Amino acid sequence: DSIESTLQGTVLSFTELNHPRIPGYQYPLICAVIKLAEGTNLVANIVGVDPSDVHIDMKVQGKVEKIDEKTTLPQFYPA
């Protein structure tokens, strides 16, 4: 199944990743479980924010971005 999404969401849980470092990503990397406005949960990165500012119930807005030549993923920013 698939859904169309506005990529608006809320942070349910998150962790800060520092190792191993994967080329193409900014570190520290924040990986989060995000509840989309449509009701689906999604695991994705939160970018464009200091890790200390990320918190549960934080509103985020996603954008599909090219990570490297082979990878395109939704990245989430503070809303």
Side-chain angles (χ1 to χ4, degrees):
D1 291 343
S2 65
I3 65 164
E4 288 191 28
S5 177
T6 60
L7 293 181
Q8 295 175 346
T10 304
V11 175
L12 295 179
S13 178
F14 66 95
T15 189
E16 182 178 325
L17 305 173
N18 288 290
H19 185 79
R21 294 197 177 225
I22 302 167
Y25 293 92
Q26 298 291 323
Y27 285 86
L29 182 63
I30 303 299
C31 184
V33 177
I34 297 168
K35 183 170 193 71
L36 296 176
E38 295 78 17
T40 301
N41 292 346
L42 176 71
V43 176
N45 298 326
I46 298 177
V47 296
V49 63
D50 188 276
S52 64
D53 292 332
V54 177
H55 57 87
I56 303 299
D57 292 329
M58 179 179 175
K59 301 295 183 196
V60 290
Q61 176 65 53
K63 181 179 175 186
V64 177
E65 297 180 337
K66 190 171 184 174
I67 303 301
D68 59 34
E69 292 189 22
K70 297 180 182 179
T71 309
T72 302
L73 295 172
Q75 301 276 66
F76 284 79
Y77 294 83

